[in-house]
Amino acid sequence: MIPAQFDYVRPESLSEASQVLASDEDAKVLAGGQSLLPLLRLRLAYPSTLVDVGRLPELKGVHDRGDHVFIGAMATHDEVMRSDVVRAGCPLVAMAAAHVADPAIRHRGTFGGSLAHADPAGDLPAVVLALDGVFVARSAQGEREIPAAEFFVDYWESSLGPGEILAGVKIPKLGEGWGFQYEKFHRTAQAWAIVGVAAAVKRSNGAITEARIGLTNMGPTPLRARATETALQGMELGDQLRQACEEAAADTSPPADLHAQPDYRRHLARVLTHRAVRTAAGAP
Amino acid sequence: MTIQQEAGREVGRPRKRKEDARLLTGRSRWTDNLSRPGMLHVMFLRSPMAHARITRVDVSGARGLPGVVAAFSGQDFAAEQGSLPCAWPVSEDIVIPDHPPMAVSEVRYVGEAVACVVATDRYRAADALEAIEVDYEPLPAVLDMKQALTADSPKVHEAGNKAFSVKINSGDIEAAFRDAPIIIDRTYRQQRLIPCAMEPRAVLADTDGDTFTVWSATQIPHILRVMLAVVTGIPEHQIRVIAPDVGGGFGSKLQVTAEEVLCLLMARKLGKPVKWAESRSEGNLTVHHGRDQIQHIRLAADADGRIRGLQVDLLADMGAYLMLVTPGIPMLGASMFNAIYKMDAYEFGCTGVFTTKMPTDAYRGAGRPEATFAIERVMDELAAELHMDPLEVRRRNWIKHEEFPYTTISGLTYDSGNYEAATDKATAMFGYDKLRAEQADRRDRGDPVQLGIGVSTYTEMCGLAPSRMLGEANYAAGGWEHGAVRMLPSGKVEVITGTSPHGQGHVTAWSQIVADALGVPFEDVTVLHGDTAIAHKGMDTYGSRSLVIGGIAVLKACEKVRDKARKLAAHVLECSPDDLEFEAGAFKVRGTESQKTMQELAWAAFTAHDLPDGVEARLDSDATFDPENYSFPHGTHLCAVEVDTETGMVKIRSYVAVDDVGKVVNPLIVEGQVHGGIAQGIGQALFEEAVYDAEGNLLTTTLADYLLPSAADLPPFSLDRTESPATSNPLGVKGVGEAGTIASTPAVVNAVVDALRPFGIHDIEMPCTPERVWRAVSEAQEGVRR
Amino acid sequence: MPRITVTVDGIKYEEDVEPRLLLVHLLRERLGKTGTPVGCDTSNCGACTVMLDGKSVKSCSVLAVQADGCDVLTIEGLGVNGSMHPMQQAFHEEHALQCGFCTPGMVMAAIDLLREDPDPSEETIRHGLEGNLCRCTGYCNIVRAVRRGAQEMGQAVRTP
């Protein structure tokens, strides 16, 4: 199908982009367009103007900033999954980025675009949430840092204000002793996650000292499996892990759709959390 | 004339396809690639309601918008659009409702066209659609077949929701079931499928004032031509239909569509070329769907597993209207439920039901996969009931190879086959015993990942079809095919076929047949098709019929050309035709060195300097072929799946297929057909389902929701063949287009159920999604706990 | 209307385009490059895959304005002097196409996956093609073709 008409601007700078966005509430940011274009083609979205930030140098690249990795909003999934900086500093992000859609879409789709789209079925939001990433937003008023826990508001809604553009995300490096796993459960390779689980687990002397678990598609936003995170603390690898992961679906409100009902999603969250935690913890 | 596969012969060789070059280099002629001077673009506005009265359509808002040439509602076509045809009135009691190409007063499924815009480009047309206003008065949707048949159900059509009912009996079914030690009674659901040929439909219609040319992404240019004439009243000789390159069909382009009729009418109204190209989401809504049956099947058996009788009762969802062969689809399965098995009695009943959904019609296999699925599932249930290996229960019942030809309980005569040979080969390749041992081990260990082994020993009725049998089945047309062969002056050969390939490789395969029959090089043969002005006669491509019927028609035409050449050669060589032997493309005077090649004879016919009296100056001929019987490919497919009982995920671990499609013209093409068929059958087993919500909206309008398997979702398939030549045609071929699809769906589902037998599970509804598997497992486990 | 400059299969074009014009429609309807077909509207099928600045993209999900200043390679620009690219040739040799509608996109995706892994395993090939749907072949012969194409291309590089 064919998109409806819209205007198009390609600003030279981030500040120019945010001016356009601030002046027109029906204007939308165009990043890689991999989520937006299908919506436009199905005429499910009617933006007045697309503000193409895809070429802004300020939004590009992946940067090692000592205690954290800064991933520019316009870094593509393909860049992110292959970046040595990401693989070394926050391997979980690279793992999940490799699960986004398919290779051609990963060439165009961007890290920031995908997160700002705030689709709880996307693979990256749960990962950034699990890693306590910090979103850096820019507007005419300057720069604002938004903790991941406050970024995702509802289905397809972030806390970015009018005129605010996501510049990038700071992913704290976790240091020694951590292991990672992203478990994506979907029916076909290119399908969206029915449920996904992002796990980062730290072990010391055989026991888990800290666990962080992000859940994909278990509610209107990505969620942390806090109860399981707490239960896992101090645990040795063994049968009791499963017990701790039984709490993984606590306080979730998963959607019902063509591919799964909520009770099945809750079940999957438990099973996949167990698997992700075991793998992240290096269990045989 | 029988052609043997032997050294020096083309038939039997894995020839690379002649069709490939343009497809590989981006020079394909898809309908949507075509352009005509002054061409306009059409887009349709479609009903968002499953069932409603149309109280007002106002297209005036669209007229006058930039680029808009015209806008029409159903009223504008009412006087000329006729009714879309149904060519298969399967019973006396059948109700064939009026089916206007564009709805005028009532819509009966979401997606039915209610208005359209013609504009200078498709972007303008899409914009203008939004300016059309339509008022609907909602009527109740009718979605569930069983409810639709109740007395108080809302009606899809005034005459009621029953389209037809059929009952067929053979043998004493009551006796077979009376006191039967074992009765298996099951109900299976054949979910609704969306064919999803990769090329969406497209139509281009043009006129020069007198005549009309319609290019369409169709499987059936010849049938379309006559039907367009019947529907619109435009004389047949003024319509030319061209199927250019067509990107897959699988039955979905075996149709006379609303869009074809309407584009033709708009070309006439506007005197301009108009093109419509479907979007995928439009296509998911409005390309006819496939399957959608509820199958009640009962099997009576003796304690040793011998089948006594089989009783089948179908509800078949017709959707809102009867399209070209809609009611015939379940009937194509009527004689196939008994499959390869011997039994004393058989009863088949079928009721066609109207619902407010997209009409159903042919989809790869068309009626036969449904039948094969049900019987092969039930055979596994019988085996489970008897604690017998599923292959053993089949062996006890199938027709033995020495019993061919064999007339089945449903009255078909299977001419050839060897189920033992195919099964032996398949089990060896599969490592059947070893996998059974691993399965036992996993069961013993309580492994969360269980192994399942699925068996499917299928046969199918191919080569649609003998005209006489089609007539007996009340089908409105015949089943012959036409072929023509002409030697060009230089000795090259032009073949014209009435079949209409859209991926099957007829150009290559027919070239092989002709090369052997005329003794000319494979490279010297070209094959023309898909244009009613070039191939004036044909019945087109579907039902695994093209080689079995169309290929033979070409062979028959070659025989006639050879007979003509023989006479000419005898004249030129001054001998009697009986003194000539045909060898390596030349007629030789027996016992001498003197000879004339086909090329020389072609030139002689062209120059015509020295023709015998009464002989025309041409080396060409044509022929039709109409077989006396269907062909019956068969085979044994074996599938191993790993079922993760914690998540419900099914993973196919290995898949072996041994098919017997008779003699093979091109093994490369045969293998490709089987590969693709298996993948589509797996699609039905595990992934695909057209889902309507409670209001009758289709939820699976995009490929994000209607899941097709990608390369990453399928395993490699291991293939082999056995060969029992068909006796109904001189090449001994049986057809292969549908075999894989027919066989694989039950093989996969049998494997899934087999993996879950220890849980007491005896069915998973298709598609076997992880959620369905998980629910079955958890319900079974709860049952145990209780 | 924005004016864009885009190089397609080695030829530079300057076009005034509506912002909403999809790259695939620029190729097909403006530049006459119908070798790249459209198979869906949600970027699932991959039939429209082309190379944009050397990387595979789905041209139905890129606006023509986004391709401004870029280099596009389509199936039509793959062969050199009328001969087929080794990957096209490999698809022919292995009977990796039937109807051929997915083929242009499939060939582009296949070439793209070799950029990262010139000697891919079956698994890598299958995952590398997960964004390209084929309804005819069951993928078996496509996987074989990609392996053959990879070998031929490796050969082509090694043999000066």
Side-chain angles (χ1 to χ4, degrees):
Chain A
M1 277 169 67
I2 310 291
Q5 288 178 11
F6 49 77
D7 288 330
Y8 172 84
V9 290
R10 191 192 295 154
E12 298 291 325
S13 68
L14 202 46
S15 56
E16 188 193 335
S18 60
Q19 274 169 22
V20 180
L21 285 167
S23 66
D24 178 356
E25 63 177 19
D26 294 326
K28 285 261 180 290
V29 174
L30 172 65
Q34 299 304 284
S35 299
L36 184 57
L37 258 78
L39 293 176
L40 295 175
R41 292 181 68 198
L42 296 171
R43 296 206 173 198
L44 296 172
Y46 288 82
S48 58
T49 302
L50 290 189
V51 182
D52 185 354
V53 299
R55 299 179 185 218
L56 292 177
E58 302 142 274
L59 304 184
K60 296 219 166 199
V62 174
H63 311 277
D64 190 338
R65 300 240 170 106
D67 66 339
H68 69 269
V69 174
F70 183 81
I71 303 177
M74 290 305 105
T76 65
H77 303 304
D78 189 65
E79 280 165 19
V80 169
M81 67 184 260
R82 298 184 195 286
S83 156
D84 290 339
V85 171
V86 175
R87 286 179 176 195
C90 46
L92 186 57
V93 173
M95 271 179 198
H99 279 282
V100 175
D102 60 59
I105 288 176
R106 291 196 291 265
H107 289 148
R108 292 292 300 170
T110 62
F111 191 70
S114 183
L115 290 166
H117 187 50
D119 186 338
D123 298 297
L124 298 173
V127 172
V128 176
L129 183 70
L131 296 176
D132 288 330
V134 176
F135 289 76
V136 180
R138 291 266 293 277
S139 68
Q141 282 72 47
E143 194 165 286
R144 180 166 78 104
E145 294 203 343
I146 310 165
E150 293 165 24
F151 185 79
F152 302 102
V153 176
D154 205 338
Y155 286 105
W156 305 292
E157 191 183 333
S158 76
S159 57
L160 288 172
E164 247 181 352
I165 295 171
L166 181 62
V169 184
K170 293 178 174 177
I171 310 285
K173 294 185 188 172
L174 289 179
E176 294 300 302
W178 286 85
F180 306 95
Q181 177 66 5
Y182 184 65
E183 285 281 340
K184 181 175 187 172
F185 191 85
H186 47 170
R187 286 180 57 202
T188 59
Q190 60 165 247
W192 293 86
I194 293 174
V195 174
V197 176
V201 178
K202 187 177 188 185
R203 280 175 74 198
S204 165
N205 299 322
I208 293 172
T209 54
E210 190 181 348
R212 299 173 174 201
I213 298 159
L215 303 175
T216 295
N217 215 7
M218 288 297 290
T221 66
L223 297 168
R224 286 282 285 268
R226 297 281 183 193
T228 295
E229 290 179 1
T230 309
L232 285 170
Q233 262 174 28
M235 224 173 234
E236 310 260 335
L237 300 190
D239 288 346
Q240 70 275 23
L241 278 189
R242 186 182 288 272
Q243 200 57 44
C245 295
E246 284 300 303
E247 302 299 313
D251 301 321
T252 62
S253 48
D257 59 29
L258 272 177
H259 306 299
Q261 293 302 306
D263 61 334
Y264 178 52
R265 283 202 159 91
R266 287 196 187 91
H267 168 78
L268 282 178
R270 296 180 198 114
V271 173
L272 298 177
T273 298
H274 181 232
R275 291 181 182 180
V277 166
R278 278 178 54 86
T279 308
Chain B
M1 181 163 63
T2 306
I3 288 181
Q4 299 296 322
Q5 291 166 29
E6 56 189 49
R9 291 289 193 181
E10 280 295 338
V11 166
R13 285 185 66 181
R15 276 287 191 182
K16 312 279 181 342
R17 292 202 320 172
K18 291 181 170 183
E19 290 88 340
D20 289 356
R22 69 175 184 279
L23 300 170
L24 277 164
T25 53
R27 287 173 289 187
S28 317
R29 301 172 300 238
W30 314 118
T31 300
D32 191 24
N33 289 0
L34 306 177
S35 187
R36 306 283 292 169
M39 186 174 78
L40 302 172
H41 295 261
V42 177
M43 280 207 186
F44 292 95
L45 186 68
R46 299 185 177 278
S47 170
M49 316 280 291
H51 196 192
R53 205 160 285 129
I54 301 172
T55 54
R56 185 179 73 105
V57 184
D58 183 357
V59 299
S60 60
R63 292 180 181 142
L65 287 178
V68 173
V69 175
F72 300 112
S73 70
Q75 208 66 53
D76 296 312
F77 295 108
E80 54 183 343
Q81 69 177 348
S83 179
L84 293 176
C86 172
W88 205 335
V90 292
S91 71
E92 294 285 321
D93 70 347
I94 195 163
V95 175
I96 302 183
D98 189 46
H99 186 185
M102 185 174 281
V104 178
S105 55
E106 195 168 323
V107 288
R108 294 185 176 86
Y109 64 91
V110 170
E112 197 168 353
V114 295
C116 66
V117 167
V118 188
T120 50
D121 72 83
R122 63 183 90 198
Y123 281 63
R124 263 18 78 183
D127 293 344
L129 281 188
E130 296 190 333
I132 296 175
E133 293 174 17
V134 185
D135 292 341
Y136 298 97
E137 187 184 303
L139 295 168
V142 180
L143 300 167
D144 180 89
M145 283 195 278
K146 282 184 185 155
Q147 276 177 20
L149 292 176
T150 58
D152 52 354
S153 167
K155 290 176 180 176
V156 181
H157 297 281
E158 255 175 52
N161 295 335
K162 194 179 90 174
F164 69 89
S165 59
V166 172
K167 201 99 177 165
I168 298 168
N169 284 294
S170 180
D172 188 344
I173 196 75
E174 271 180 38
F177 276 80
R178 198 181 310 130
D179 309 324
I182 296 168
I183 292 178
I184 310 281
D185 186 323
R186 297 283 189 268
T187 299
Y188 296 120
R189 194 183 70 117
Q190 289 283 328
Q191 79 269 34
R192 185 174 269 257
L193 299 175
I194 303 179
C196 288
M198 289 318 298
E199 183 207 14
R201 292 179 299 161
V203 185
L204 166 58
D206 197 3
T207 177
D208 61 9
D210 291 324
T211 62
F212 297 86
T213 305
V214 177
W215 291 261
S216 182
T218 180
Q219 297 173 224
I220 52 163
H222 298 91
I223 294 173
L224 179 60
R225 180 194 195 192
V226 61
M227 288 299 173
L228 285 175
V230 169
V231 170
T232 64
I234 297 173
E236 189 180 355
H237 66 288
Q238 290 173 4
I239 301 175
R240 173 183 180 187
V241 174
I242 301 174
D245 285 332
V246 176
F250 315 111
S252 73
K253 293 170 181 168
L254 162 51
Q255 194 53 272
V256 177
T257 68
E259 293 82 2
E260 287 162 331
V261 172
L262 294 169
C263 284
L264 174 59
L265 293 177
M266 281 185 272
R268 180 164 74 175
K269 272 181 193 294
L270 301 169
K272 290 242 178 356
V274 298
K275 181 161 86 176
W276 168 72
E278 172 183 81
S279 70
R280 176 65 58 186
S281 43
E282 194 179 20
N284 275 15
L285 277 174
T286 63
V287 171
H288 71 239
H289 292 171
R291 313 280 194 264
D292 207 342
Q293 295 180 359
I294 297 171
Q295 311 173 297
H296 183 201
I297 180 165
R298 295 177 74 229
L299 178 143
D302 287 330
D304 63 357
R306 196 192 66 88
I307 303 170
R308 297 166 59 143
L310 185 69
Q311 217 176 8
V312 174
D313 197 17
L314 300 185
L315 288 181
D317 193 338
M318 305 283 101
Y321 301 97
L322 301 185
M323 296 194 73
L324 192 61
V325 290
T326 302
I329 301 306
M331 296 309 296
L332 280 169
S335 354
M336 284 276 97
F337 280 89
N338 50 296
I340 63 170
Y341 308 114
K342 297 182 278 191
M343 58 189 74
D344 308 327
Y346 174 56
E347 184 183 86
F348 171 86
C350 175
T351 304
V353 185
F354 288 116
T355 59
T356 53
K357 298 181 192 172
M358 181 64 210
T360 55
D361 208 314
Y363 173 58
R364 203 168 191 173
R368 291 150 292 161
E370 295 92 315
T372 304
F373 177 85
I375 184 67
E376 287 303 292
R377 285 286 298 110
V378 162
M379 290 306 282
D380 262 34
E381 296 303 305
L382 176 61
E385 183 78 22
L386 295 166
H387 304 289
M388 196 182 276
D389 186 283
L391 284 172
E392 178 55 28
V393 82
R394 285 168 170 81
R395 271 188 206 106
R396 291 189 184 187
N397 285 288
W398 70 36
I399 301 156
K400 295 186 173 47
H401 71 273
E402 64 270 18
E403 292 173 310
F404 288 93
Y406 184 91
T407 300
T408 70
I409 190 72
S410 62
L412 291 173
T413 301
Y414 295 175
D415 58 339
S416 70
N418 190 332
Y419 309 137
E420 298 91 326
T423 303
D424 289 349
K425 206 171 208 179
T427 47
M429 285 166 68
F430 190 62
Y432 189 82
D433 296 336
K434 208 171 154 203
L435 282 166
R436 282 284 179 215
E438 182 187 333
Q439 175 181 53
D441 180 52
R442 286 193 193 224
R443 285 180 180 177
D444 289 346
R445 280 191 284 120
D447 193 326
V449 179
Q450 286 289 314
L451 186 70
I453 294 166
V455 173
S456 166
T457 51
Y458 77 100
T459 189
E460 57 167 331
M461 174 181 92
C462 274
L464 303 184
S467 297
R468 240 178 305 167
M469 291 186 180
L470 288 176
E472 282 163 16
N474 228 15
Y475 180 59
W480 48 262
E481 192 47 88
H482 178 257
V485 173
R486 50 194 185 218
M487 299 288 302
L488 302 178
S490 63
K492 310 294 182 196
V493 185
E494 222 163 41
V495 176
I496 296 128
T497 179
T499 61
S500 196
H502 39 283
Q504 295 89 341
H506 296 179
V507 172
T508 304
W510 285 205
S511 294
Q512 291 177 266
I513 293 170
V514 171
D516 281 357
L518 296 180
V520 297
F522 169 77
E523 294 76 13
D524 284 1
V525 186
T526 186
V527 180
L528 308 176
H529 59 78
D531 179 343
T532 59
I534 294 170
H536 71 279
K537 193 172 166 62
M539 274 292 183
D540 307 316
T541 287
Y542 44 85
S544 305
R545 70 187 299 278
S546 292
L547 174 62
V548 186
I549 308 185
I552 306 302
V554 167
L555 179 66
K556 297 274 179 195
C558 287
E559 286 180 42
K560 291 187 182 178
V561 169
R562 239 172 57 176
D563 287 346
K564 284 186 176 182
R566 178 182 293 271
K567 281 191 194 112
L568 182 55
H571 174 76
V572 176
L573 294 165
E574 297 178 336
C575 65
S576 150
D578 298 338
D579 294 338
L580 292 170
E581 53 188 15
F582 186 69
E583 199 189 313
F587 286 96
K588 292 183 178 145
V589 184
R590 224 169 259 124
T592 75
E593 290 300 300
S594 123
Q595 66 162 40
K596 284 285 168 195
T597 65
M598 285 299 284
Q599 285 83 359
E600 289 169 319
L601 294 167
W603 188 256
F606 169 67
T607 60
H609 294 164
D610 179 25
L611 292 180
D613 293 340
V615 168
E616 289 181 83
R618 58 194 182 112
L619 260 192
D620 55 24
S621 196
D622 69 344
T624 58
F625 179 67
D626 200 338
E628 285 177 5
N629 193 3
Y630 294 101
S631 58
F632 300 94
H634 71 82
T636 298
H637 287 216
L638 297 170
C639 175
V641 299
E642 289 179 357
V643 180
D644 182 336
T645 58
E646 289 182 349
T647 63
M649 185 56 110
V650 175
K651 186 172 167 249
I652 298 179
R653 188 163 102 181
S654 61
Y655 195 103
V656 165
V658 175
D659 294 285
D660 191 328
V661 298
K663 288 281 183 188
V664 164
V665 173
N666 184 323
L668 209 59
I669 290 177
V670 164
E671 193 185 70
Q673 287 288 320
V674 175
H675 282 155
I678 292 171
Q680 263 177 329
I682 291 173
Q684 174 170 16
L686 298 181
F687 300 112
E688 299 177 33
E689 181 175 15
V691 182
Y692 282 89
D693 71 9
E695 278 77 49
N697 298 300
L698 184 69
L699 300 180
T700 50
T701 53
T702 72
L703 296 182
D705 301 311
Y706 190 86
L707 299 183
L708 302 180
S710 76
D713 304 303
L714 294 172
F717 311 129
S718 307
L719 267 48
D720 206 340
R721 285 187 285 109
T722 54
E723 197 171 284
S724 318
T727 62
S728 54
N729 67 71
L731 283 180
V733 295
K734 295 181 176 179
V736 67
E738 298 164 304
T741 306
I742 291 171
S744 64
T745 310
V748 174
V749 177
N750 276 341
V752 173
V753 175
D754 184 55
L756 300 173
R757 291 257 181 230
F759 294 87
I761 290 167
H762 61 71
D763 192 32
I764 303 284
E765 197 173 272
M766 290 191 292
C768 303
T769 63
E771 181 168 17
R772 286 204 175 105
V773 171
W774 170 74
R775 280 195 197 284
V777 170
S778 33
E779 276 162 26
Q781 285 171 333
E782 265 166 40
V784 171
R785 265 181 233 128
R786 258 190 258 120
Chain C
M1 246 191 259
R3 166 159 298 191
I4 62 165
T5 308
V6 57
T7 302
V8 181
D9 298 334
I11 297 172
K12 198 170 183 175
Y13 298 88
E14 262 193 19
E15 293 286 322
D16 294 322
V17 298
E18 272 193 281
R20 60 173 167 163
L21 183 70
L22 304 174
L23 176 58
V24 72
H25 288 148
L26 173 78
L27 296 173
R28 291 177 55 81
E29 314 215 328
R30 296 281 284 274
L31 310 184
K33 293 211 155 266
T34 52
T36 302
V38 187
C40 75
D41 19 47
T42 46
S43 70
N44 290 94
C45 83
C48 65
T49 304
V50 300
M51 300 290 184
L52 186 65
D53 286 342
K55 289 180 181 171
S56 65
V57 302
K58 296 182 173 180
S59 62
C60 75
S61 295
V62 177
L63 297 172
V65 285
Q66 288 178 290
D68 185 17
C70 296
D71 189 88
V72 178
L73 178 67
T74 79
I75 190 77
E76 296 178 47
L78 269 188
V80 182
N81 298 330
S83 69
M84 283 201 262
H85 183 281
M87 190 59 79
Q88 290 169 311
Q89 191 62 39
F91 269 61
H92 174 62
E93 298 293 332
E94 295 290 352
H95 184 37
L97 64 152
Q98 289 178 31
C99 86
F101 196 80
C102 76
T103 306
M106 201 65 83
V107 168
M108 299 313 271
I111 292 171
D112 185 73
L113 80 87
L114 299 182
R115 274 192 310 117
E116 299 294 341
D117 186 349
D119 186 19
S121 65
E122 162 128 11
E123 183 76 2
T124 306
I125 295 170
R126 286 183 178 271
H127 277 282
L129 299 177
E130 70 192 15
N132 293 73
L133 298 173
C134 169
R135 198 62 160 157
C136 295
T137 64
Y139 305 104
C140 293
N141 291 351
I142 292 178
V143 174
R144 282 182 203 161
V146 176
R147 213 180 289 122
R148 179 194 276 257
Q151 280 162 5
E152 300 287 333
M153 286 166 72
Q155 219 73 42
V157 173
R158 279 194 288 275
T159 327

